[in-house]
């Protein structure tokens, strides 16, 4: 069975040993559900990318975010640090504030935060304080990322809240946007 047929039938192969491979069959319902989740993650990340592009057009570092609850966007924004003269006006902080106002709650259970780059330590701390259960982000930030690159705040067992993290969604698009922005500044 070739790869395309395997996908359509829900059959994947795993290497049980170096001598042979065993097929694993997944029920079609599980595959359909997972594909819907992947489609949603890509759609919401594209919205975060739109916000990042808008931020770049305004002269801001092109980082965008949106926060989602029950499939609906509660808040979306790009960075506003320069426009607002506010070093805390990162896209993540802005959408967390907006979602809190929308929900009328400083805690945000059953939400997902989508952001184009790995959050910094300030934003990771805000994610923990808001009790956001799920983060989806695009590109890693090797110089300041606090999810897995420099620190691991969101999965630190010493904290009272851990976050499910899905990295690298549209990572190439997110990284390319940042790289082209900074290349244009040099």
């Amino acid at each position: 069975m070739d790869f395309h047929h395997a996908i359509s039938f829900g059959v994947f192969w795993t290497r049980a040993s170096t001598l042979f491979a065993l097929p694993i069959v997944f029920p079609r319902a599980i595959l359909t559900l997972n594909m819907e989740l992947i489609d949603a993650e890509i759609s919401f990340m594209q919205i975060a990318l739109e916000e990042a592009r808008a931020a770049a057009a305004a002269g801001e570092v092109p980082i965008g975010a949106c926060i989602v609850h029950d499939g609906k966007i509660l808040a979306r924004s790009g960075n506003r640090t320069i426009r607002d003269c506010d070093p805390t006006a990162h896209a993540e902080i802005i959408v967390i504030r907006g979602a809190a106002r929308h929900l009328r709650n400083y805690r945000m259970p059953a939400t997902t935060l989508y952001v184009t780059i790995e959050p910094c330590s300030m934003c990771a701390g805000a994610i923990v304080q808001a009790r956001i259960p799920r983060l989806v982000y695009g590109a890693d930030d090797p110089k300041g990322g606090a999810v897995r690159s420099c620190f691991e705040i969101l999965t630190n067992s010493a904290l009272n809240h851990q976050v499910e993290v899905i990295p690298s969604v549209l990572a190439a698009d997110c990284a390319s946007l940042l790289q082209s922005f900074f290349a244009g500044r040099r």
Side-chain angles (χ1 to χ4, degrees):
M1 181 177 300
D2 68 13
F3 178 75
H4 295 291
H5 285 101
I7 294 293
S8 65
F9 288 105
V11 177
F12 295 87
W13 298 89
T14 184
R15 190 174 292 267
S17 75
T18 57
L19 299 177
F20 62 93
L22 297 173
I24 298 175
V25 180
F26 292 96
R28 181 165 290 291
I30 291 173
L31 286 177
T32 302
L33 178 63
N34 286 340
M35 291 307 292
E36 288 172 5
L37 284 173
I38 291 168
D39 289 344
E41 288 172 355
I42 289 171
S43 295
F44 290 125
M45 186 59 74
Q46 287 171 335
I47 289 166
L49 274 164
E50 288 173 16
E51 293 296 328
R53 287 185 194 100
E60 299 278 357
V61 174
I63 297 172
C66 65
I67 192 162
V68 176
H69 181 265
D70 289 335
K72 295 183 177 100
I73 296 172
L74 299 179
R76 58 189 281 176
S77 184
N79 271 8
R80 297 191 54 88
T81 56
I82 297 167
R83 287 176 283 181
D84 293 354
C85 288
D86 180 357
T88 69
H90 290 195
E92 300 96 309
I93 300 296
I94 294 167
V95 300
I96 289 170
R97 289 175 182 160
R101 281 191 298 274
H102 182 83
L103 294 171
R104 296 176 182 222
N105 192 346
Y106 69 106
R107 303 287 195 217
M108 292 171 221
T111 60
T112 300
L113 174 63
Y114 294 85
V115 63
T116 56
I117 193 166
E118 179 182 4
C120 69
S121 57
M122 175 184 68
C123 294
I127 292 165
V128 170
Q129 293 302 316
R131 304 297 192 267
I132 295 170
R134 193 163 179 268
L135 168 70
V136 178
Y137 75 88
D140 286 324
D141 182 1
K143 294 183 180 180
V147 175
R148 69 178 187 174
S149 294
C150 296
F151 307 104
E152 294 182 2
I153 292 172
L154 300 183
T155 55
N156 188 325
S157 62
L159 297 175
N160 61 350
H161 177 72
Q162 287 80 45
V163 178
E164 176 190 1
V165 176
I166 294 89
S168 305
V169 174
L170 298 181
D173 295 339
C174 296
S176 174
L177 183 58
L178 281 163
Q179 289 165 350
S180 62
F181 175 82
F182 285 114
R185 295 272 178 166
R186 291 184 192 128

mmCIF file of all heavy atoms in Angstrom, residues 29-75:
data_model
loop_
_atom_site.group_PDB
_atom_site.id
_atom_site.type_symbol
_atom_site.label_atom_id
_atom_site.label_comp_id
_atom_site.label_asym_id
_atom_site.label_seq_id
_atom_site.Cartn_x
_atom_site.Cartn_y
_atom_site.Cartn_z
ATOM 1 N N ALA A 29 -12.785 8.083 12.237
ATOM 2 C CA ALA A 29 -13.293 9.185 13.059
ATOM 3 C C ALA A 29 -12.148 9.920 13.747
ATOM 4 O O ALA A 29 -12.150 11.142 13.833
ATOM 5 C CB ALA A 29 -14.276 8.668 14.094
ATOM 6 N N ILE A 30 -11.146 9.187 14.217
ATOM 7 C CA ILE A 30 -10.000 9.814 14.870
ATOM 8 C C ILE A 30 -9.212 10.629 13.854
ATOM 9 O O ILE A 30 -8.826 11.764 14.115
ATOM 10 C CB ILE A 30 -9.104 8.772 15.555
ATOM 11 C CG1 ILE A 30 -9.839 8.166 16.752
ATOM 12 C CG2 ILE A 30 -7.775 9.384 15.980
ATOM 13 C CD1 ILE A 30 -9.120 7.019 17.393
ATOM 14 N N LEU A 31 -8.983 10.071 12.665
ATOM 15 C CA LEU A 31 -8.251 10.802 11.640
ATOM 16 C C LEU A 31 -9.001 12.059 11.221
ATOM 17 O O LEU A 31 -8.415 13.119 11.062
ATOM 18 C CB LEU A 31 -8.016 9.914 10.418
ATOM 19 C CG LEU A 31 -6.951 8.842 10.572
ATOM 20 C CD1 LEU A 31 -6.885 7.997 9.315
ATOM 21 C CD2 LEU A 31 -5.606 9.461 10.873
ATOM 22 N N THR A 32 -10.314 11.970 11.066
ATOM 23 C CA THR A 32 -11.114 13.130 10.680
ATOM 24 C C THR A 32 -11.044 14.200 11.746
ATOM 25 O O THR A 32 -10.839 15.379 11.451
ATOM 26 C CB THR A 32 -12.580 12.711 10.428
ATOM 27 O OG1 THR A 32 -12.603 11.704 9.417
ATOM 28 C CG2 THR A 32 -13.418 13.896 9.990
ATOM 29 N N LEU A 33 -11.168 13.820 12.998
ATOM 30 C CA LEU A 33 -11.092 14.773 14.098
ATOM 31 C C LEU A 33 -9.730 15.448 14.125
ATOM 32 O O LEU A 33 -9.631 16.664 14.266
ATOM 33 C CB LEU A 33 -11.368 14.071 15.431
ATOM 34 C CG LEU A 33 -11.273 14.935 16.685
ATOM 35 C CD1 LEU A 33 -12.325 16.031 16.647
ATOM 36 C CD2 LEU A 33 -11.446 14.083 17.923
ATOM 37 N N ASN A 34 -8.666 14.672 13.983
ATOM 38 C CA ASN A 34 -7.323 15.240 13.998
ATOM 39 C C ASN A 34 -7.102 16.187 12.823
ATOM 40 O O ASN A 34 -6.457 17.218 12.975
ATOM 41 C CB ASN A 34 -6.259 14.142 14.008
ATOM 42 C CG ASN A 34 -6.164 13.465 15.365
ATOM 43 O OD1 ASN A 34 -6.589 14.019 16.363
ATOM 44 N ND2 ASN A 34 -5.624 12.269 15.382
ATOM 45 N N MET A 35 -7.633 15.854 11.649
ATOM 46 C CA MET A 35 -7.486 16.728 10.489
ATOM 47 C C MET A 35 -8.241 18.030 10.708
ATOM 48 O O MET A 35 -7.786 19.099 10.327
ATOM 49 C CB MET A 35 -7.957 16.032 9.209
ATOM 50 C CG MET A 35 -7.052 14.885 8.777
ATOM 51 S SD MET A 35 -5.304 15.330 8.631
ATOM 52 C CE MET A 35 -5.377 16.415 7.237
ATOM 53 N N GLU A 36 -9.410 17.968 11.363
ATOM 54 C CA GLU A 36 -10.165 19.187 11.671
ATOM 55 C C GLU A 36 -9.385 20.060 12.652
ATOM 56 O O GLU A 36 -9.356 21.280 12.509
ATOM 57 C CB GLU A 36 -11.538 18.841 12.243
ATOM 58 C CG GLU A 36 -12.491 18.278 11.212
ATOM 59 C CD GLU A 36 -13.782 17.748 11.807
ATOM 60 O OE1 GLU A 36 -14.005 17.894 13.026
ATOM 61 O OE2 GLU A 36 -14.567 17.169 11.046
ATOM 62 N N LEU A 37 -8.736 19.451 13.637
ATOM 63 C CA LEU A 37 -7.911 20.211 14.579
ATOM 64 C C LEU A 37 -6.746 20.870 13.866
ATOM 65 O O LEU A 37 -6.443 22.040 14.105
ATOM 66 C CB LEU A 37 -7.396 19.303 15.697
ATOM 67 C CG LEU A 37 -8.388 18.915 16.775
ATOM 68 C CD1 LEU A 37 -7.781 17.891 17.717
ATOM 69 C CD2 LEU A 37 -8.858 20.132 17.544
ATOM 70 N N ILE A 38 -6.110 20.134 12.978
ATOM 71 C CA ILE A 38 -4.980 20.683 12.229
ATOM 72 C C ILE A 38 -5.448 21.837 11.352
ATOM 73 O O ILE A 38 -4.806 22.888 11.308
ATOM 74 C CB ILE A 38 -4.285 19.581 11.396
ATOM 75 C CG1 ILE A 38 -3.577 18.608 12.338
ATOM 76 C CG2 ILE A 38 -3.309 20.181 10.390
ATOM 77 C CD1 ILE A 38 -3.112 17.336 11.678
ATOM 78 N N ASP A 39 -6.590 21.681 10.672
ATOM 79 C CA ASP A 39 -7.128 22.762 9.843
ATOM 80 C C ASP A 39 -7.426 23.993 10.687
ATOM 81 O O ASP A 39 -7.143 25.117 10.275
ATOM 82 C CB ASP A 39 -8.398 22.303 9.114
ATOM 83 C CG ASP A 39 -8.117 21.302 8.011
ATOM 84 O OD1 ASP A 39 -6.951 21.172 7.593
ATOM 85 O OD2 ASP A 39 -9.076 20.638 7.567
ATOM 86 N N ALA A 40 -8.007 23.807 11.869
ATOM 87 C CA ALA A 40 -8.314 24.935 12.750
ATOM 88 C C ALA A 40 -7.031 25.615 13.207
ATOM 89 O O ALA A 40 -6.949 26.853 13.212
ATOM 90 C CB ALA A 40 -9.136 24.462 13.951
ATOM 91 N N GLU A 41 -6.034 24.837 13.573
ATOM 92 C CA GLU A 41 -4.769 25.424 14.011
ATOM 93 C C GLU A 41 -4.141 26.263 12.909
ATOM 94 O O GLU A 41 -3.653 27.365 13.158
ATOM 95 C CB GLU A 41 -3.811 24.331 14.492
ATOM 96 C CG GLU A 41 -4.233 23.740 15.807
ATOM 97 C CD GLU A 41 -3.429 22.532 16.223
ATOM 98 O OE1 GLU A 41 -2.572 22.071 15.439
ATOM 99 O OE2 GLU A 41 -3.659 22.040 17.338
ATOM 100 N N ILE A 42 -4.184 25.766 11.693
ATOM 101 C CA ILE A 42 -3.620 26.516 10.564
ATOM 102 C C ILE A 42 -4.443 27.774 10.304
ATOM 103 O O ILE A 42 -3.884 28.855 10.108
ATOM 104 C CB ILE A 42 -3.534 25.614 9.317
ATOM 105 C CG1 ILE A 42 -2.433 24.563 9.527
ATOM 106 C CG2 ILE A 42 -3.270 26.442 8.058
ATOM 107 C CD1 ILE A 42 -2.385 23.483 8.480
ATOM 108 N N SER A 43 -5.761 27.671 10.334
ATOM 109 C CA SER A 43 -6.619 28.843 10.090
ATOM 110 C C SER A 43 -6.378 29.936 11.119
ATOM 111 O O SER A 43 -6.245 31.116 10.763
ATOM 112 C CB SER A 43 -8.096 28.441 10.115
ATOM 113 O OG SER A 43 -8.389 27.583 9.053
ATOM 114 N N PHE A 44 -6.331 29.572 12.388
ATOM 115 C CA PHE A 44 -6.117 30.579 13.422
ATOM 116 C C PHE A 44 -4.698 31.137 13.377
ATOM 117 O O PHE A 44 -4.484 32.323 13.648
ATOM 118 C CB PHE A 44 -6.472 30.030 14.803
ATOM 119 C CG PHE A 44 -7.946 29.817 14.991
ATOM 120 C CD1 PHE A 44 -8.440 28.582 15.371
ATOM 121 C CD2 PHE A 44 -8.848 30.850 14.787
ATOM 122 C CE1 PHE A 44 -9.804 28.376 15.535
ATOM 123 C CE2 PHE A 44 -10.217 30.664 14.956
ATOM 124 C CZ PHE A 44 -10.698 29.420 15.331
ATOM 125 N N MET A 45 -3.730 30.306 13.010
ATOM 126 C CA MET A 45 -2.366 30.817 12.877
ATOM 127 C C MET A 45 -2.281 31.788 11.707
ATOM 128 O O MET A 45 -1.535 32.783 11.775
ATOM 129 C CB MET A 45 -1.361 29.676 12.704
ATOM 130 C CG MET A 45 0.084 30.139 12.713
ATOM 131 S SD MET A 45 0.578 31.000 14.237
ATOM 132 C CE MET A 45 0.672 29.617 15.353
ATOM 133 N N GLN A 46 -3.037 31.548 10.648
ATOM 134 C CA GLN A 46 -3.063 32.497 9.531
ATOM 135 C C GLN A 46 -3.626 33.851 9.976
ATOM 136 O O GLN A 46 -3.169 34.899 9.522
ATOM 137 C CB GLN A 46 -3.852 31.920 8.362
ATOM 138 C CG GLN A 46 -3.100 30.816 7.655
ATOM 139 C CD GLN A 46 -3.922 30.066 6.634
ATOM 140 O OE1 GLN A 46 -5.147 30.007 6.716
ATOM 141 N NE2 GLN A 46 -3.251 29.482 5.653
ATOM 142 N N ILE A 47 -4.584 33.834 10.874
ATOM 143 C CA ILE A 47 -5.116 35.082 11.422
ATOM 144 C C ILE A 47 -4.041 35.799 12.243
ATOM 145 O O ILE A 47 -3.869 37.014 12.140
ATOM 146 C CB ILE A 47 -6.397 34.814 12.239
ATOM 147 C CG1 ILE A 47 -7.519 34.438 11.276
ATOM 148 C CG2 ILE A 47 -6.775 36.019 13.096
ATOM 149 C CD1 ILE A 47 -8.735 33.843 11.917
ATOM 150 N N ALA A 48 -3.301 35.041 13.038
ATOM 151 C CA ALA A 48 -2.190 35.634 13.795
ATOM 152 C C ALA A 48 -1.151 36.223 12.834
ATOM 153 O O ALA A 48 -0.604 37.303 13.089
ATOM 154 C CB ALA A 48 -1.561 34.596 14.716
ATOM 155 N N LEU A 49 -0.904 35.542 11.727
ATOM 156 C CA LEU A 49 0.031 36.066 10.721
ATOM 157 C C LEU A 49 -0.490 37.362 10.097
ATOM 158 O O LEU A 49 0.289 38.277 9.825
ATOM 159 C CB LEU A 49 0.292 35.020 9.635
ATOM 160 C CG LEU A 49 1.393 34.021 9.937
ATOM 161 C CD1 LEU A 49 1.315 32.814 9.012
ATOM 162 C CD2 LEU A 49 2.757 34.688 9.833
ATOM 163 N N GLU A 50 -1.806 37.456 9.867
ATOM 164 C CA GLU A 50 -2.390 38.705 9.361
ATOM 165 C C GLU A 50 -2.113 39.848 10.328
ATOM 166 O O GLU A 50 -1.759 40.959 9.918
ATOM 167 C CB GLU A 50 -3.906 38.559 9.174
ATOM 168 C CG GLU A 50 -4.335 37.698 8.015
ATOM 169 C CD GLU A 50 -5.844 37.473 7.999
ATOM 170 O OE1 GLU A 50 -6.594 38.206 8.695
ATOM 171 O OE2 GLU A 50 -6.278 36.554 7.282
ATOM 172 N N GLU A 51 -2.270 39.574 11.612
ATOM 173 C CA GLU A 51 -2.002 40.592 12.630
ATOM 174 C C GLU A 51 -0.522 40.967 12.652
ATOM 175 O O GLU A 51 -0.172 42.135 12.849
ATOM 176 C CB GLU A 51 -2.467 40.118 14.005
ATOM 177 C CG GLU A 51 -3.969 39.977 14.132
ATOM 178 C CD GLU A 51 -4.717 41.296 13.981
ATOM 179 O OE1 GLU A 51 -4.164 42.360 14.365
ATOM 180 O OE2 GLU A 51 -5.852 41.274 13.487
ATOM 181 N N ALA A 52 0.338 39.984 12.454
ATOM 182 C CA ALA A 52 1.781 40.257 12.419
ATOM 183 C C ALA A 52 2.124 41.142 11.215
ATOM 184 O O ALA A 52 2.930 42.079 11.341
ATOM 185 C CB ALA A 52 2.561 38.949 12.367
ATOM 186 N N ARG A 53 1.514 40.871 10.077
ATOM 187 C CA ARG A 53 1.760 41.701 8.887
ATOM 188 C C ARG A 53 1.268 43.133 9.116
ATOM 189 O O ARG A 53 1.922 44.092 8.711
ATOM 190 C CB ARG A 53 1.082 41.082 7.665
ATOM 191 C CG ARG A 53 1.776 39.829 7.167
ATOM 192 C CD ARG A 53 1.158 39.287 5.875
ATOM 193 N NE ARG A 53 1.636 37.953 5.645
ATOM 194 C CZ ARG A 53 0.960 36.840 5.931
ATOM 195 N NH1 ARG A 53 -0.263 36.901 6.426
ATOM 196 N NH2 ARG A 53 1.491 35.660 5.703
ATOM 197 N N ALA A 54 0.127 43.271 9.759
ATOM 198 C CA ALA A 54 -0.396 44.608 10.068
ATOM 199 C C ALA A 54 0.542 45.346 11.025
ATOM 200 O O ALA A 54 0.769 46.557 10.877
ATOM 201 C CB ALA A 54 -1.802 44.505 10.657
ATOM 202 N N ALA A 55 1.097 44.631 11.978
ATOM 203 C CA ALA A 55 2.055 45.239 12.904
ATOM 204 C C ALA A 55 3.289 45.715 12.142
ATOM 205 O O ALA A 55 3.781 46.829 12.376
ATOM 206 C CB ALA A 55 2.446 44.250 14.005
ATOM 207 N N ALA A 56 3.772 44.896 11.233
ATOM 208 C CA ALA A 56 4.943 45.279 10.434
ATOM 209 C C ALA A 56 4.649 46.528 9.613
ATOM 210 O O ALA A 56 5.490 47.432 9.527
ATOM 211 C CB ALA A 56 5.361 44.124 9.524
ATOM 212 N N ALA A 57 3.471 46.599 9.027
ATOM 213 C CA ALA A 57 3.083 47.765 8.228
ATOM 214 C C ALA A 57 3.052 49.033 9.079
ATOM 215 O O ALA A 57 3.260 50.135 8.569
ATOM 216 C CB ALA A 57 1.728 47.528 7.571
ATOM 217 N N ALA A 58 2.814 48.874 10.377
ATOM 218 C CA ALA A 58 2.788 50.016 11.302
ATOM 219 C C ALA A 58 4.153 50.284 11.917
ATOM 220 O O ALA A 58 4.277 51.128 12.808
ATOM 221 C CB ALA A 58 1.756 49.758 12.394
ATOM 222 N N GLY A 59 5.186 49.557 11.462
ATOM 223 C CA GLY A 59 6.532 49.772 11.965
ATOM 224 C C GLY A 59 6.870 48.988 13.224
ATOM 225 O O GLY A 59 7.928 49.186 13.811
ATOM 226 N N GLU A 60 5.994 48.099 13.609
ATOM 227 C CA GLU A 60 6.221 47.263 14.802
ATOM 228 C C GLU A 60 6.906 45.957 14.401
ATOM 229 O O GLU A 60 6.838 45.537 13.243
ATOM 230 C CB GLU A 60 4.879 46.910 15.467
ATOM 231 C CG GLU A 60 4.078 48.085 15.949
ATOM 232 C CD GLU A 60 4.524 48.603 17.311
ATOM 233 O OE1 GLU A 60 5.430 48.015 17.931
ATOM 234 O OE2 GLU A 60 3.955 49.615 17.744
ATOM 235 N N VAL A 61 7.537 45.307 15.363
ATOM 236 C CA VAL A 61 8.075 43.966 15.123
ATOM 237 C C VAL A 61 6.884 43.069 14.775
ATOM 238 O O VAL A 61 5.875 43.062 15.484
ATOM 239 C CB VAL A 61 8.831 43.441 16.364
ATOM 240 C CG1 VAL A 61 9.268 41.999 16.159
ATOM 241 C CG2 VAL A 61 10.032 44.320 16.659
ATOM 242 N N PRO A 62 6.966 42.328 13.659
ATOM 243 C CA PRO A 62 5.808 41.581 13.169
ATOM 244 C C PRO A 62 5.511 40.296 13.948
ATOM 245 O O PRO A 62 5.865 39.195 13.542
ATOM 246 C CB PRO A 62 6.167 41.271 11.719
ATOM 247 C CG PRO A 62 7.652 41.201 11.728
ATOM 248 C CD PRO A 62 8.103 42.218 12.749
ATOM 249 N N ILE A 63 4.848 40.476 15.061
ATOM 250 C CA ILE A 63 4.375 39.344 15.853
ATOM 251 C C ILE A 63 2.880 39.531 16.021
ATOM 252 O O ILE A 63 2.418 40.629 16.340
ATOM 253 C CB ILE A 63 5.085 39.274 17.210
ATOM 254 C CG1 ILE A 63 6.580 39.045 16.999
ATOM 255 C CG2 ILE A 63 4.477 38.155 18.071
ATOM 256 C CD1 ILE A 63 7.418 39.152 18.246
ATOM 257 N N GLY A 64 2.134 38.471 15.774
ATOM 258 C CA GLY A 64 0.684 38.533 15.880
ATOM 259 C C GLY A 64 0.157 37.410 16.741
ATOM 260 O O GLY A 64 0.807 36.379 16.919
ATOM 261 N N ALA A 65 -1.037 37.634 17.290
ATOM 262 C CA ALA A 65 -1.648 36.629 18.164
ATOM 263 C C ALA A 65 -3.162 36.724 18.081
ATOM 264 O O ALA A 65 -3.719 37.768 17.714
ATOM 265 C CB ALA A 65 -1.193 36.836 19.605
ATOM 266 N N CYS A 66 -3.804 35.635 18.440
ATOM 267 C CA CYS A 66 -5.250 35.633 18.649
ATOM 268 C C CYS A 66 -5.554 34.593 19.719
ATOM 269 O O CYS A 66 -4.802 33.643 19.909
ATOM 270 C CB CYS A 66 -6.025 35.372 17.357
ATOM 271 S SG CYS A 66 -5.814 33.763 16.609
ATOM 272 N N ILE A 67 -6.649 34.817 20.428
ATOM 273 C CA ILE A 67 -7.064 33.865 21.453
ATOM 274 C C ILE A 67 -8.465 33.395 21.112
ATOM 275 O O ILE A 67 -9.324 34.188 20.734
ATOM 276 C CB ILE A 67 -6.941 34.460 22.869
ATOM 277 C CG1 ILE A 67 -7.084 33.367 23.922
ATOM 278 C CG2 ILE A 67 -7.895 35.596 23.086
ATOM 279 C CD1 ILE A 67 -6.565 33.766 25.286
ATOM 280 N N VAL A 68 -8.665 32.075 21.209
ATOM 281 C CA VAL A 68 -9.877 31.432 20.722
ATOM 282 C C VAL A 68 -10.560 30.664 21.849
ATOM 283 O O VAL A 68 -9.900 30.006 22.654
ATOM 284 C CB VAL A 68 -9.526 30.472 19.557
ATOM 285 C CG1 VAL A 68 -10.731 29.698 19.079
ATOM 286 C CG2 VAL A 68 -8.885 31.246 18.412
ATOM 287 N N HIS A 69 -11.886 30.755 21.870
ATOM 288 C CA HIS A 69 -12.706 30.015 22.831
ATOM 289 C C HIS A 69 -13.890 29.442 22.069
ATOM 290 O O HIS A 69 -14.604 30.174 21.388
ATOM 291 C CB HIS A 69 -13.176 30.964 23.942
ATOM 292 C CG HIS A 69 -14.004 30.304 24.991
ATOM 293 N ND1 HIS A 69 -15.371 30.297 24.958
ATOM 294 C CD2 HIS A 69 -13.651 29.620 26.097
ATOM 295 C CE1 HIS A 69 -15.839 29.651 26.010
ATOM 296 N NE2 HIS A 69 -14.796 29.226 26.713
ATOM 297 N N ASP A 70 -14.079 28.139 22.161
ATOM 298 C CA ASP A 70 -15.182 27.464 21.454
ATOM 299 C C ASP A 70 -15.203 27.793 19.967
ATOM 300 O O ASP A 70 -16.269 28.023 19.386
ATOM 301 C CB ASP A 70 -16.532 27.817 22.084
ATOM 302 C CG ASP A 70 -16.725 27.194 23.449
ATOM 303 O OD1 ASP A 70 -16.096 26.145 23.715
ATOM 304 O OD2 ASP A 70 -17.497 27.749 24.245
ATOM 305 N N GLY A 71 -14.039 27.847 19.351
ATOM 306 C CA GLY A 71 -13.949 28.085 17.916
ATOM 307 C C GLY A 71 -14.162 29.521 17.486
ATOM 308 O O GLY A 71 -14.185 29.810 16.292
ATOM 309 N N LYS A 72 -14.302 30.434 18.436
ATOM 310 C CA LYS A 72 -14.518 31.852 18.121
ATOM 311 C C LYS A 72 -13.354 32.688 18.641
ATOM 312 O O LYS A 72 -12.876 32.481 19.755
ATOM 313 C CB LYS A 72 -15.821 32.343 18.750
ATOM 314 C CG LYS A 72 -17.043 31.672 18.171
ATOM 315 C CD LYS A 72 -18.317 32.246 18.770
ATOM 316 C CE LYS A 72 -19.511 31.602 18.118
ATOM 317 N NZ LYS A 72 -20.109 30.564 18.864
ATOM 318 N N ILE A 73 -12.952 33.659 17.846
ATOM 319 C CA ILE A 73 -11.859 34.541 18.243
ATOM 320 C C ILE A 73 -12.389 35.558 19.247
ATOM 321 O O ILE A 73 -13.339 36.283 18.972
ATOM 322 C CB ILE A 73 -11.262 35.255 17.022
ATOM 323 C CG1 ILE A 73 -10.640 34.226 16.076
ATOM 324 C CG2 ILE A 73 -10.220 36.284 17.448
ATOM 325 C CD1 ILE A 73 -10.185 34.792 14.755
ATOM 326 N N LEU A 74 -11.755 35.584 20.414
ATOM 327 C CA LEU A 74 -12.117 36.559 21.447
ATOM 328 C C LEU A 74 -11.353 37.865 21.262
ATOM 329 O O LEU A 74 -11.888 38.943 21.547
ATOM 330 C CB LEU A 74 -11.823 36.001 22.838
ATOM 331 C CG LEU A 74 -12.549 34.739 23.249
ATOM 332 C CD1 LEU A 74 -12.108 34.310 24.643
ATOM 333 C CD2 LEU A 74 -14.055 34.938 23.196
ATOM 334 N N ALA A 75 -10.105 37.773 20.834
ATOM 335 C CA ALA A 75 -9.270 38.957 20.643
ATOM 336 C C ALA A 75 -8.159 38.614 19.666
ATOM 337 O O ALA A 75 -7.723 37.461 19.597
ATOM 338 C CB ALA A 75 -8.691 39.420 21.971
#
